[in-house]
Amino acid sequence: MSGQMVTLIGAALAAAVLALVLKKDSPALALMVAVAGVLVLMTGLIEPAGQLIHAAKSLLSELDGSETIYVPIIKAVGIAAAVRIAGAVCQDAGQAALAAQLELAGTAAAIVVCLPLLTEVLELVNRMIA
């Protein structure tokens, strides 16, 4: 894994430097290089992400009734990561308003996936009061 991380870091730095060099003369091409760099990094993270998902599933299967608690949190973290990456690309493209809208949509989506967790908490409070 550490060798793969070195490769991913090198690819990210190469894409960043190339985008920086191209930005003055061709901002559109610089953005495409940055997006290509992001895609390369995401491709390199498919296997580790799969291992992480497998480990999380096996851990959750050992805990009683915890799916309603932990799955929304995991989904919200995934939404936050995706929005962070896409928002950074929008910022690099000079589209700050688009990035802000994306963050707002991501926040709404994270709240929606956490609604089952809120329901569980409210039911727990009701059981404690009764």
Side-chain angles (χ1 to χ4, degrees), residues 20-65:
L20 185 62
V21 169
L22 292 172
K23 194 169 191 167
K24 180 182 174 195
D25 296 326
S26 179
L29 189 56
L31 177 63
M32 290 296 109
V33 167
V35 169
V38 167
L39 293 175
V40 166
L41 291 174
M42 291 176 86
T43 303
L45 292 174
I46 289 174
E47 183 182 338
Q51 292 171 351
L52 180 63
I53 290 169
H54 177 71
K57 281 183 180 180
S58 66
L59 179 65
L60 288 176
S61 68
E62 293 178 17
L63 301 172
D64 285 337

PDB file of all heavy atoms in Angstrom, residues 20-65:
ATOM      1  N   LEU A  20      -0.397  23.982 -13.148  1.00  0.00           N
ATOM      2  CA  LEU A  20       0.119  25.308 -12.802  1.00  0.00           C
ATOM      3  C   LEU A  20       0.855  25.940 -13.980  1.00  0.00           C
ATOM      4  O   LEU A  20       0.686  27.125 -14.269  1.00  0.00           O
ATOM      5  CB  LEU A  20       1.051  25.207 -11.588  1.00  0.00           C
ATOM      6  CG  LEU A  20       1.592  26.507 -11.025  1.00  0.00           C
ATOM      7  CD1 LEU A  20       0.453  27.383 -10.526  1.00  0.00           C
ATOM      8  CD2 LEU A  20       2.573  26.231  -9.904  1.00  0.00           C
ATOM      9  N   VAL A  21       1.642  25.138 -14.690  1.00  0.00           N
ATOM     10  CA  VAL A  21       2.382  25.636 -15.852  1.00  0.00           C
ATOM     11  C   VAL A  21       1.411  26.042 -16.967  1.00  0.00           C
ATOM     12  O   VAL A  21       1.604  27.059 -17.629  1.00  0.00           O
ATOM     13  CB  VAL A  21       3.390  24.575 -16.350  1.00  0.00           C
ATOM     14  CG1 VAL A  21       3.971  24.943 -17.698  1.00  0.00           C
ATOM     15  CG2 VAL A  21       4.500  24.370 -15.327  1.00  0.00           C
ATOM     16  N   LEU A  22       0.362  25.252 -17.161  1.00  0.00           N
ATOM     17  CA  LEU A  22      -0.582  25.520 -18.246  1.00  0.00           C
ATOM     18  C   LEU A  22      -1.595  26.614 -17.922  1.00  0.00           C
ATOM     19  O   LEU A  22      -2.208  27.178 -18.829  1.00  0.00           O
ATOM     20  CB  LEU A  22      -1.345  24.232 -18.594  1.00  0.00           C
ATOM     21  CG  LEU A  22      -0.527  23.111 -19.226  1.00  0.00           C
ATOM     22  CD1 LEU A  22      -1.374  21.848 -19.326  1.00  0.00           C
ATOM     23  CD2 LEU A  22      -0.021  23.532 -20.591  1.00  0.00           C
ATOM     24  N   LYS A  23      -1.778  26.918 -16.650  1.00  0.00           N
ATOM     25  CA  LYS A  23      -2.846  27.821 -16.229  1.00  0.00           C
ATOM     26  C   LYS A  23      -2.751  29.204 -16.865  1.00  0.00           C
ATOM     27  O   LYS A  23      -3.769  29.789 -17.242  1.00  0.00           O
ATOM     28  CB  LYS A  23      -2.848  27.948 -14.702  1.00  0.00           C
ATOM     29  CG  LYS A  23      -4.102  28.573 -14.168  1.00  0.00           C
ATOM     30  CD  LYS A  23      -4.169  28.423 -12.671  1.00  0.00           C
ATOM     31  CE  LYS A  23      -5.549  28.813 -12.201  1.00  0.00           C
ATOM     32  NZ  LYS A  23      -5.811  28.415 -10.841  1.00  0.00           N
ATOM     33  N   LYS A  24      -1.539  29.733 -17.015  1.00  0.00           N
ATOM     34  CA  LYS A  24      -1.371  31.084 -17.557  1.00  0.00           C
ATOM     35  C   LYS A  24      -1.807  31.158 -19.017  1.00  0.00           C
ATOM     36  O   LYS A  24      -2.524  32.081 -19.413  1.00  0.00           O
ATOM     37  CB  LYS A  24       0.089  31.506 -17.423  1.00  0.00           C
ATOM     38  CG  LYS A  24       0.363  32.890 -17.966  1.00  0.00           C
ATOM     39  CD  LYS A  24       1.827  33.244 -17.868  1.00  0.00           C
ATOM     40  CE  LYS A  24       2.085  34.565 -18.555  1.00  0.00           C
ATOM     41  NZ  LYS A  24       3.490  34.789 -18.802  1.00  0.00           N
ATOM     42  N   ASP A  25      -1.373  30.192 -19.823  1.00  0.00           N
ATOM     43  CA  ASP A  25      -1.646  30.245 -21.261  1.00  0.00           C
ATOM     44  C   ASP A  25      -2.959  29.573 -21.653  1.00  0.00           C
ATOM     45  O   ASP A  25      -3.578  29.971 -22.637  1.00  0.00           O
ATOM     46  CB  ASP A  25      -0.499  29.585 -22.035  1.00  0.00           C
ATOM     47  CG  ASP A  25       0.811  30.345 -21.855  1.00  0.00           C
ATOM     48  OD1 ASP A  25       0.752  31.587 -21.740  1.00  0.00           O
ATOM     49  OD2 ASP A  25       1.873  29.697 -21.811  1.00  0.00           O
ATOM     50  N   SER A  26      -3.340  28.529 -20.914  1.00  0.00           N
ATOM     51  CA  SER A  26      -4.540  27.789 -21.279  1.00  0.00           C
ATOM     52  C   SER A  26      -5.270  27.300 -20.028  1.00  0.00           C
ATOM     53  O   SER A  26      -5.111  26.149 -19.617  1.00  0.00           O
ATOM     54  CB  SER A  26      -4.160  26.605 -22.178  1.00  0.00           C
ATOM     55  OG  SER A  26      -5.291  25.869 -22.526  1.00  0.00           O
ATOM     56  N   PRO A  27      -6.088  28.152 -19.426  1.00  0.00           N
ATOM     57  CA  PRO A  27      -6.778  27.770 -18.196  1.00  0.00           C
ATOM     58  C   PRO A  27      -7.693  26.544 -18.370  1.00  0.00           C
ATOM     59  O   PRO A  27      -7.809  25.725 -17.470  1.00  0.00           O
ATOM     60  CB  PRO A  27      -7.603  28.998 -17.826  1.00  0.00           C
ATOM     61  CG  PRO A  27      -7.012  30.125 -18.592  1.00  0.00           C
ATOM     62  CD  PRO A  27      -6.354  29.534 -19.795  1.00  0.00           C
ATOM     63  N   ALA A  28      -8.311  26.427 -19.532  1.00  0.00           N
ATOM     64  CA  ALA A  28      -9.204  25.286 -19.760  1.00  0.00           C
ATOM     65  C   ALA A  28      -8.416  23.984 -19.777  1.00  0.00           C
ATOM     66  O   ALA A  28      -8.842  22.974 -19.203  1.00  0.00           O
ATOM     67  CB  ALA A  28      -9.966  25.463 -21.063  1.00  0.00           C
ATOM     68  N   LEU A  29      -7.272  23.996 -20.436  1.00  0.00           N
ATOM     69  CA  LEU A  29      -6.429  22.800 -20.476  1.00  0.00           C
ATOM     70  C   LEU A  29      -5.875  22.485 -19.092  1.00  0.00           C
ATOM     71  O   LEU A  29      -5.788  21.315 -18.700  1.00  0.00           O
ATOM     72  CB  LEU A  29      -5.291  22.993 -21.482  1.00  0.00           C
ATOM     73  CG  LEU A  29      -4.446  21.753 -21.791  1.00  0.00           C
ATOM     74  CD1 LEU A  29      -5.313  20.611 -22.282  1.00  0.00           C
ATOM     75  CD2 LEU A  29      -3.387  22.094 -22.818  1.00  0.00           C
ATOM     76  N   ALA A  30      -5.538  23.518 -18.324  1.00  0.00           N
ATOM     77  CA  ALA A  30      -5.046  23.316 -16.965  1.00  0.00           C
ATOM     78  C   ALA A  30      -6.123  22.651 -16.109  1.00  0.00           C
ATOM     79  O   ALA A  30      -5.831  21.753 -15.318  1.00  0.00           O
ATOM     80  CB  ALA A  30      -4.619  24.643 -16.353  1.00  0.00           C
ATOM     81  N   LEU A  31      -7.371  23.082 -16.275  1.00  0.00           N
ATOM     82  CA  LEU A  31      -8.464  22.467 -15.529  1.00  0.00           C
ATOM     83  C   LEU A  31      -8.631  21.002 -15.933  1.00  0.00           C
ATOM     84  O   LEU A  31      -8.835  20.135 -15.077  1.00  0.00           O
ATOM     85  CB  LEU A  31      -9.765  23.235 -15.758  1.00  0.00           C
ATOM     86  CG  LEU A  31     -10.997  22.654 -15.084  1.00  0.00           C
ATOM     87  CD1 LEU A  31     -10.830  22.679 -13.559  1.00  0.00           C
ATOM     88  CD2 LEU A  31     -12.242  23.398 -15.504  1.00  0.00           C
ATOM     89  N   MET A  32      -8.526  20.712 -17.211  1.00  0.00           N
ATOM     90  CA  MET A  32      -8.652  19.327 -17.674  1.00  0.00           C
ATOM     91  C   MET A  32      -7.535  18.451 -17.106  1.00  0.00           C
ATOM     92  O   MET A  32      -7.763  17.301 -16.739  1.00  0.00           O
ATOM     93  CB  MET A  32      -8.647  19.261 -19.210  1.00  0.00           C
ATOM     94  CG  MET A  32      -9.893  19.813 -19.845  1.00  0.00           C
ATOM     95  SD  MET A  32     -11.346  18.850 -19.410  1.00  0.00           S
ATOM     96  CE  MET A  32     -12.202  19.959 -18.337  1.00  0.00           C
ATOM     97  N   VAL A  33      -6.335  18.998 -17.018  1.00  0.00           N
ATOM     98  CA  VAL A  33      -5.221  18.252 -16.425  1.00  0.00           C
ATOM     99  C   VAL A  33      -5.516  17.978 -14.949  1.00  0.00           C
ATOM    100  O   VAL A  33      -5.287  16.872 -14.452  1.00  0.00           O
ATOM    101  CB  VAL A  33      -3.885  19.001 -16.596  1.00  0.00           C
ATOM    102  CG1 VAL A  33      -2.797  18.400 -15.731  1.00  0.00           C
ATOM    103  CG2 VAL A  33      -3.461  19.008 -18.056  1.00  0.00           C
ATOM    104  N   ALA A  34      -6.044  18.968 -14.245  1.00  0.00           N
ATOM    105  CA  ALA A  34      -6.377  18.787 -12.827  1.00  0.00           C
ATOM    106  C   ALA A  34      -7.478  17.736 -12.651  1.00  0.00           C
ATOM    107  O   ALA A  34      -7.384  16.877 -11.765  1.00  0.00           O
ATOM    108  CB  ALA A  34      -6.800  20.114 -12.216  1.00  0.00           C
ATOM    109  N   VAL A  35      -8.499  17.791 -13.491  1.00  0.00           N
ATOM    110  CA  VAL A  35      -9.579  16.802 -13.422  1.00  0.00           C
ATOM    111  C   VAL A  35      -9.043  15.415 -13.748  1.00  0.00           C
ATOM    112  O   VAL A  35      -9.399  14.427 -13.090  1.00  0.00           O
ATOM    113  CB  VAL A  35     -10.742  17.198 -14.357  1.00  0.00           C
ATOM    114  CG1 VAL A  35     -11.744  16.072 -14.499  1.00  0.00           C
ATOM    115  CG2 VAL A  35     -11.420  18.460 -13.850  1.00  0.00           C
ATOM    116  N   ALA A  36      -8.165  15.318 -14.744  1.00  0.00           N
ATOM    117  CA  ALA A  36      -7.553  14.023 -15.071  1.00  0.00           C
ATOM    118  C   ALA A  36      -6.740  13.500 -13.886  1.00  0.00           C
ATOM    119  O   ALA A  36      -6.772  12.304 -13.584  1.00  0.00           O
ATOM    120  CB  ALA A  36      -6.676  14.154 -16.311  1.00  0.00           C
ATOM    121  N   GLY A  37      -6.042  14.395 -13.209  1.00  0.00           N
ATOM    122  CA  GLY A  37      -5.293  13.992 -12.021  1.00  0.00           C
ATOM    123  C   GLY A  37      -6.203  13.446 -10.934  1.00  0.00           C
ATOM    124  O   GLY A  37      -5.895  12.436 -10.295  1.00  0.00           O
ATOM    125  N   VAL A  38      -7.335  14.110 -10.727  1.00  0.00           N
ATOM    126  CA  VAL A  38      -8.309  13.643  -9.745  1.00  0.00           C
ATOM    127  C   VAL A  38      -8.821  12.257 -10.130  1.00  0.00           C
ATOM    128  O   VAL A  38      -8.921  11.356  -9.289  1.00  0.00           O
ATOM    129  CB  VAL A  38      -9.474  14.640  -9.611  1.00  0.00           C
ATOM    130  CG1 VAL A  38     -10.644  14.037  -8.839  1.00  0.00           C
ATOM    131  CG2 VAL A  38      -9.001  15.915  -8.946  1.00  0.00           C
ATOM    132  N   LEU A  39      -9.130  12.066 -11.402  1.00  0.00           N
ATOM    133  CA  LEU A  39      -9.632  10.765 -11.858  1.00  0.00           C
ATOM    134  C   LEU A  39      -8.588   9.664 -11.688  1.00  0.00           C
ATOM    135  O   LEU A  39      -8.917   8.541 -11.298  1.00  0.00           O
ATOM    136  CB  LEU A  39     -10.102  10.854 -13.311  1.00  0.00           C
ATOM    137  CG  LEU A  39     -11.336  11.728 -13.536  1.00  0.00           C
ATOM    138  CD1 LEU A  39     -11.651  11.842 -15.023  1.00  0.00           C
ATOM    139  CD2 LEU A  39     -12.529  11.184 -12.777  1.00  0.00           C
ATOM    140  N   VAL A  40      -7.334   9.983 -11.966  1.00  0.00           N
ATOM    141  CA  VAL A  40      -6.265   9.000 -11.777  1.00  0.00           C
ATOM    142  C   VAL A  40      -6.162   8.618 -10.303  1.00  0.00           C
ATOM    143  O   VAL A  40      -6.043   7.439  -9.952  1.00  0.00           O
ATOM    144  CB  VAL A  40      -4.916   9.532 -12.307  1.00  0.00           C
ATOM    145  CG1 VAL A  40      -3.748   8.689 -11.823  1.00  0.00           C
ATOM    146  CG2 VAL A  40      -4.930   9.589 -13.826  1.00  0.00           C
ATOM    147  N   LEU A  41      -6.225   9.609  -9.435  1.00  0.00           N
ATOM    148  CA  LEU A  41      -6.155   9.333  -8.004  1.00  0.00           C
ATOM    149  C   LEU A  41      -7.353   8.512  -7.533  1.00  0.00           C
ATOM    150  O   LEU A  41      -7.198   7.582  -6.741  1.00  0.00           O
ATOM    151  CB  LEU A  41      -6.075  10.638  -7.216  1.00  0.00           C
ATOM    152  CG  LEU A  41      -4.768  11.414  -7.372  1.00  0.00           C
ATOM    153  CD1 LEU A  41      -4.860  12.747  -6.656  1.00  0.00           C
ATOM    154  CD2 LEU A  41      -3.608  10.611  -6.841  1.00  0.00           C
ATOM    155  N   MET A  42      -8.522   8.848  -8.026  1.00  0.00           N
ATOM    156  CA  MET A  42      -9.715   8.093  -7.629  1.00  0.00           C
ATOM    157  C   MET A  42      -9.632   6.650  -8.115  1.00  0.00           C
ATOM    158  O   MET A  42     -10.032   5.723  -7.403  1.00  0.00           O
ATOM    159  CB  MET A  42     -10.976   8.774  -8.145  1.00  0.00           C
ATOM    160  CG  MET A  42     -11.246  10.096  -7.457  1.00  0.00           C
ATOM    161  SD  MET A  42     -12.660  10.972  -8.133  1.00  0.00           S
ATOM    162  CE  MET A  42     -13.964  10.220  -7.178  1.00  0.00           C
ATOM    163  N   THR A  43      -9.092   6.447  -9.292  1.00  0.00           N
ATOM    164  CA  THR A  43      -8.913   5.096  -9.809  1.00  0.00           C
ATOM    165  C   THR A  43      -7.935   4.316  -8.934  1.00  0.00           C
ATOM    166  O   THR A  43      -8.144   3.131  -8.660  1.00  0.00           O
ATOM    167  CB  THR A  43      -8.400   5.140 -11.269  1.00  0.00           C
ATOM    168  OG1 THR A  43      -9.327   5.882 -12.052  1.00  0.00           O
ATOM    169  CG2 THR A  43      -8.259   3.753 -11.846  1.00  0.00           C
ATOM    170  N   GLY A  44      -6.888   4.980  -8.493  1.00  0.00           N
ATOM    171  CA  GLY A  44      -5.916   4.328  -7.629  1.00  0.00           C
ATOM    172  C   GLY A  44      -6.449   4.015  -6.247  1.00  0.00           C
ATOM    173  O   GLY A  44      -5.881   3.186  -5.527  1.00  0.00           O
ATOM    174  N   LEU A  45      -7.536   4.663  -5.870  1.00  0.00           N
ATOM    175  CA  LEU A  45      -8.108   4.436  -4.543  1.00  0.00           C
ATOM    176  C   LEU A  45      -9.260   3.437  -4.538  1.00  0.00           C
ATOM    177  O   LEU A  45      -9.845   3.178  -3.488  1.00  0.00           O
ATOM    178  CB  LEU A  45      -8.575   5.765  -3.950  1.00  0.00           C
ATOM    179  CG  LEU A  45      -7.457   6.739  -3.602  1.00  0.00           C
ATOM    180  CD1 LEU A  45      -8.036   8.067  -3.153  1.00  0.00           C
ATOM    181  CD2 LEU A  45      -6.565   6.158  -2.522  1.00  0.00           C
ATOM    182  N   ILE A  46      -9.569   2.862  -5.685  1.00  0.00           N
ATOM    183  CA  ILE A  46     -10.679   1.910  -5.758  1.00  0.00           C
ATOM    184  C   ILE A  46     -10.407   0.683  -4.887  1.00  0.00           C
ATOM    185  O   ILE A  46     -11.255   0.277  -4.092  1.00  0.00           O
ATOM    186  CB  ILE A  46     -10.971   1.505  -7.220  1.00  0.00           C
ATOM    187  CG1 ILE A  46     -11.589   2.688  -7.959  1.00  0.00           C
ATOM    188  CG2 ILE A  46     -11.889   0.288  -7.283  1.00  0.00           C
ATOM    189  CD1 ILE A  46     -11.787   2.454  -9.441  1.00  0.00           C
ATOM    190  N   GLU A  47      -9.228   0.103  -5.020  1.00  0.00           N
ATOM    191  CA  GLU A  47      -8.912  -1.104  -4.242  1.00  0.00           C
ATOM    192  C   GLU A  47      -8.871  -0.824  -2.736  1.00  0.00           C
ATOM    193  O   GLU A  47      -9.512  -1.547  -1.963  1.00  0.00           O
ATOM    194  CB  GLU A  47      -7.591  -1.707  -4.706  1.00  0.00           C
ATOM    195  CG  GLU A  47      -7.250  -2.997  -3.985  1.00  0.00           C
ATOM    196  CD  GLU A  47      -5.913  -3.572  -4.422  1.00  0.00           C
ATOM    197  OE1 GLU A  47      -5.439  -3.241  -5.523  1.00  0.00           O
ATOM    198  OE2 GLU A  47      -5.355  -4.343  -3.638  1.00  0.00           O
ATOM    199  N   PRO A  48      -8.155   0.216  -2.273  1.00  0.00           N
ATOM    200  CA  PRO A  48      -8.181   0.489  -0.829  1.00  0.00           C
ATOM    201  C   PRO A  48      -9.586   0.813  -0.308  1.00  0.00           C
ATOM    202  O   PRO A  48      -9.938   0.418   0.802  1.00  0.00           O
ATOM    203  CB  PRO A  48      -7.253   1.694  -0.665  1.00  0.00           C
ATOM    204  CG  PRO A  48      -6.378   1.675  -1.853  1.00  0.00           C
ATOM    205  CD  PRO A  48      -7.193   1.078  -2.951  1.00  0.00           C
ATOM    206  N   ALA A  49     -10.384   1.504  -1.107  1.00  0.00           N
ATOM    207  CA  ALA A  49     -11.755   1.809  -0.684  1.00  0.00           C
ATOM    208  C   ALA A  49     -12.573   0.530  -0.563  1.00  0.00           C
ATOM    209  O   ALA A  49     -13.360   0.372   0.378  1.00  0.00           O
ATOM    210  CB  ALA A  49     -12.410   2.778  -1.666  1.00  0.00           C
ATOM    211  N   GLY A  50     -12.373  -0.392  -1.480  1.00  0.00           N
ATOM    212  CA  GLY A  50     -13.056  -1.685  -1.405  1.00  0.00           C
ATOM    213  C   GLY A  50     -12.656  -2.456  -0.159  1.00  0.00           C
ATOM    214  O   GLY A  50     -13.505  -3.072   0.506  1.00  0.00           O
ATOM    215  N   GLN A  51     -11.375  -2.417   0.180  1.00  0.00           N
ATOM    216  CA  GLN A  51     -10.911  -3.084   1.396  1.00  0.00           C
ATOM    217  C   GLN A  51     -11.518  -2.435   2.632  1.00  0.00           C
ATOM    218  O   GLN A  51     -11.903  -3.121   3.588  1.00  0.00           O
ATOM    219  CB  GLN A  51      -9.386  -3.045   1.474  1.00  0.00           C
ATOM    220  CG  GLN A  51      -8.701  -3.879   0.419  1.00  0.00           C
ATOM    221  CD  GLN A  51      -7.197  -3.650   0.389  1.00  0.00           C
ATOM    222  OE1 GLN A  51      -6.671  -2.757   1.033  1.00  0.00           O
ATOM    223  NE2 GLN A  51      -6.507  -4.474  -0.394  1.00  0.00           N
ATOM    224  N   LEU A  52     -11.608  -1.113   2.628  1.00  0.00           N
ATOM    225  CA  LEU A  52     -12.203  -0.392   3.748  1.00  0.00           C
ATOM    226  C   LEU A  52     -13.678  -0.733   3.902  1.00  0.00           C
ATOM    227  O   LEU A  52     -14.163  -0.965   5.023  1.00  0.00           O
ATOM    228  CB  LEU A  52     -12.014   1.115   3.558  1.00  0.00           C
ATOM    229  CG  LEU A  52     -12.570   2.013   4.645  1.00  0.00           C
ATOM    230  CD1 LEU A  52     -11.871   1.749   5.972  1.00  0.00           C
ATOM    231  CD2 LEU A  52     -12.413   3.462   4.260  1.00  0.00           C
ATOM    232  N   ILE A  53     -14.397  -0.796   2.809  1.00  0.00           N
ATOM    233  CA  ILE A  53     -15.820  -1.138   2.846  1.00  0.00           C
ATOM    234  C   ILE A  53     -16.009  -2.559   3.365  1.00  0.00           C
ATOM    235  O   ILE A  53     -16.883  -2.826   4.198  1.00  0.00           O
ATOM    236  CB  ILE A  53     -16.469  -0.955   1.457  1.00  0.00           C
ATOM    237  CG1 ILE A  53     -16.559   0.538   1.127  1.00  0.00           C
ATOM    238  CG2 ILE A  53     -17.843  -1.600   1.387  1.00  0.00           C
ATOM    239  CD1 ILE A  53     -16.937   0.839  -0.306  1.00  0.00           C
ATOM    240  N   HIS A  54     -15.170  -3.476   2.897  1.00  0.00           N
ATOM    241  CA  HIS A  54     -15.251  -4.871   3.357  1.00  0.00           C
ATOM    242  C   HIS A  54     -14.989  -4.952   4.861  1.00  0.00           C
ATOM    243  O   HIS A  54     -15.709  -5.647   5.590  1.00  0.00           O
ATOM    244  CB  HIS A  54     -14.255  -5.745   2.583  1.00  0.00           C
ATOM    245  CG  HIS A  54     -14.235  -7.161   3.047  1.00  0.00           C
ATOM    246  ND1 HIS A  54     -15.273  -8.026   2.798  1.00  0.00           N
ATOM    247  CD2 HIS A  54     -13.317  -7.855   3.767  1.00  0.00           C
ATOM    248  CE1 HIS A  54     -14.988  -9.203   3.333  1.00  0.00           C
ATOM    249  NE2 HIS A  54     -13.804  -9.121   3.933  1.00  0.00           N
ATOM    250  N   ALA A  55     -13.978  -4.253   5.342  1.00  0.00           N
ATOM    251  CA  ALA A  55     -13.655  -4.265   6.770  1.00  0.00           C
ATOM    252  C   ALA A  55     -14.795  -3.656   7.584  1.00  0.00           C
ATOM    253  O   ALA A  55     -15.147  -4.171   8.654  1.00  0.00           O
ATOM    254  CB  ALA A  55     -12.353  -3.508   7.021  1.00  0.00           C
ATOM    255  N   ALA A  56     -15.381  -2.560   7.087  1.00  0.00           N
ATOM    256  CA  ALA A  56     -16.489  -1.916   7.801  1.00  0.00           C
ATOM    257  C   ALA A  56     -17.703  -2.838   7.858  1.00  0.00           C
ATOM    258  O   ALA A  56     -18.359  -2.944   8.900  1.00  0.00           O
ATOM    259  CB  ALA A  56     -16.850  -0.602   7.130  1.00  0.00           C
ATOM    260  N   LYS A  57     -17.989  -3.536   6.761  1.00  0.00           N
ATOM    261  CA  LYS A  57     -19.131  -4.459   6.745  1.00  0.00           C
ATOM    262  C   LYS A  57     -18.918  -5.602   7.728  1.00  0.00           C
ATOM    263  O   LYS A  57     -19.845  -5.992   8.437  1.00  0.00           O
ATOM    264  CB  LYS A  57     -19.351  -5.014   5.330  1.00  0.00           C
ATOM    265  CG  LYS A  57     -20.060  -4.064   4.415  1.00  0.00           C
ATOM    266  CD  LYS A  57     -20.320  -4.700   3.068  1.00  0.00           C
ATOM    267  CE  LYS A  57     -21.041  -3.741   2.154  1.00  0.00           C
ATOM    268  NZ  LYS A  57     -21.299  -4.325   0.833  1.00  0.00           N
ATOM    269  N   SER A  58     -17.716  -6.150   7.761  1.00  0.00           N
ATOM    270  CA  SER A  58     -17.468  -7.246   8.693  1.00  0.00           C
ATOM    271  C   SER A  58     -17.535  -6.763  10.140  1.00  0.00           C
ATOM    272  O   SER A  58     -18.027  -7.468  11.014  1.00  0.00           O
ATOM    273  CB  SER A  58     -16.131  -7.929   8.400  1.00  0.00           C
ATOM    274  OG  SER A  58     -15.061  -7.048   8.647  1.00  0.00           O
ATOM    275  N   LEU A  59     -17.067  -5.559  10.401  1.00  0.00           N
ATOM    276  CA  LEU A  59     -17.154  -5.005  11.750  1.00  0.00           C
ATOM    277  C   LEU A  59     -18.603  -4.748  12.144  1.00  0.00           C
ATOM    278  O   LEU A  59     -19.020  -5.071  13.261  1.00  0.00           O
ATOM    279  CB  LEU A  59     -16.343  -3.706  11.835  1.00  0.00           C
ATOM    280  CG  LEU A  59     -16.338  -2.985  13.171  1.00  0.00           C
ATOM    281  CD1 LEU A  59     -15.644  -3.850  14.220  1.00  0.00           C
ATOM    282  CD2 LEU A  59     -15.638  -1.658  13.059  1.00  0.00           C
ATOM    283  N   LEU A  60     -19.390  -4.188  11.229  1.00  0.00           N
ATOM    284  CA  LEU A  60     -20.793  -3.914  11.521  1.00  0.00           C
ATOM    285  C   LEU A  60     -21.601  -5.184  11.714  1.00  0.00           C
ATOM    286  O   LEU A  60     -22.551  -5.207  12.500  1.00  0.00           O
ATOM    287  CB  LEU A  60     -21.420  -3.070  10.413  1.00  0.00           C
ATOM    288  CG  LEU A  60     -20.990  -1.612  10.341  1.00  0.00           C
ATOM    289  CD1 LEU A  60     -21.610  -0.926   9.138  1.00  0.00           C
ATOM    290  CD2 LEU A  60     -21.344  -0.879  11.614  1.00  0.00           C
ATOM    291  N   SER A  61     -21.230  -6.258  11.014  1.00  0.00           N
ATOM    292  CA  SER A  61     -21.968  -7.512  11.169  1.00  0.00           C
ATOM    293  C   SER A  61     -21.759  -8.115  12.550  1.00  0.00           C
ATOM    294  O   SER A  61     -22.595  -8.871  13.035  1.00  0.00           O
ATOM    295  CB  SER A  61     -21.560  -8.507  10.083  1.00  0.00           C
ATOM    296  OG  SER A  61     -20.225  -8.931  10.288  1.00  0.00           O
ATOM    297  N   GLU A  62     -20.674  -7.790  13.221  1.00  0.00           N
ATOM    298  CA  GLU A  62     -20.398  -8.307  14.554  1.00  0.00           C
ATOM    299  C   GLU A  62     -21.103  -7.511  15.648  1.00  0.00           C
ATOM    300  O   GLU A  62     -21.234  -7.982  16.773  1.00  0.00           O
ATOM    301  CB  GLU A  62     -18.892  -8.325  14.816  1.00  0.00           C
ATOM    302  CG  GLU A  62     -18.150  -9.315  13.947  1.00  0.00           C
ATOM    303  CD  GLU A  62     -16.659  -9.297  14.184  1.00  0.00           C
ATOM    304  OE1 GLU A  62     -16.222  -8.765  15.221  1.00  0.00           O
ATOM    305  OE2 GLU A  62     -15.933  -9.818  13.328  1.00  0.00           O
ATOM    306  N   LEU A  63     -21.543  -6.308  15.356  1.00  0.00           N
ATOM    307  CA  LEU A  63     -22.211  -5.466  16.346  1.00  0.00           C
ATOM    308  C   LEU A  63     -23.725  -5.626  16.211  1.00  0.00           C
ATOM    309  O   LEU A  63     -24.270  -5.592  15.115  1.00  0.00           O
ATOM    310  CB  LEU A  63     -21.823  -4.004  16.149  1.00  0.00           C
ATOM    311  CG  LEU A  63     -20.329  -3.686  16.261  1.00  0.00           C
ATOM    312  CD1 LEU A  63     -20.081  -2.246  15.860  1.00  0.00           C
ATOM    313  CD2 LEU A  63     -19.825  -3.949  17.668  1.00  0.00           C
ATOM    314  N   ASP A  64     -24.400  -5.810  17.323  1.00  0.00           N
ATOM    315  CA  ASP A  64     -25.854  -6.015  17.304  1.00  0.00           C
ATOM    316  C   ASP A  64     -26.609  -4.718  17.052  1.00  0.00           C
ATOM    317  O   ASP A  64     -26.428  -3.745  17.767  1.00  0.00           O
ATOM    318  CB  ASP A  64     -26.320  -6.597  18.643  1.00  0.00           C
ATOM    319  CG  ASP A  64     -25.976  -8.062  18.788  1.00  0.00           C
ATOM    320  OD1 ASP A  64     -25.791  -8.712  17.744  1.00  0.00           O
ATOM    321  OD2 ASP A  64     -25.901  -8.542  19.933  1.00  0.00           O
ATOM    322  N   GLY A  65     -27.469  -4.714  16.033  1.00  0.00           N
ATOM    323  CA  GLY A  65     -28.361  -3.597  15.784  1.00  0.00           C
ATOM    324  C   GLY A  65     -27.693  -2.267  15.493  1.00  0.00           C
ATOM    325  O   GLY A  65     -28.296  -1.229  15.659  1.00  0.00           O
TER     326      GLY A  65
END
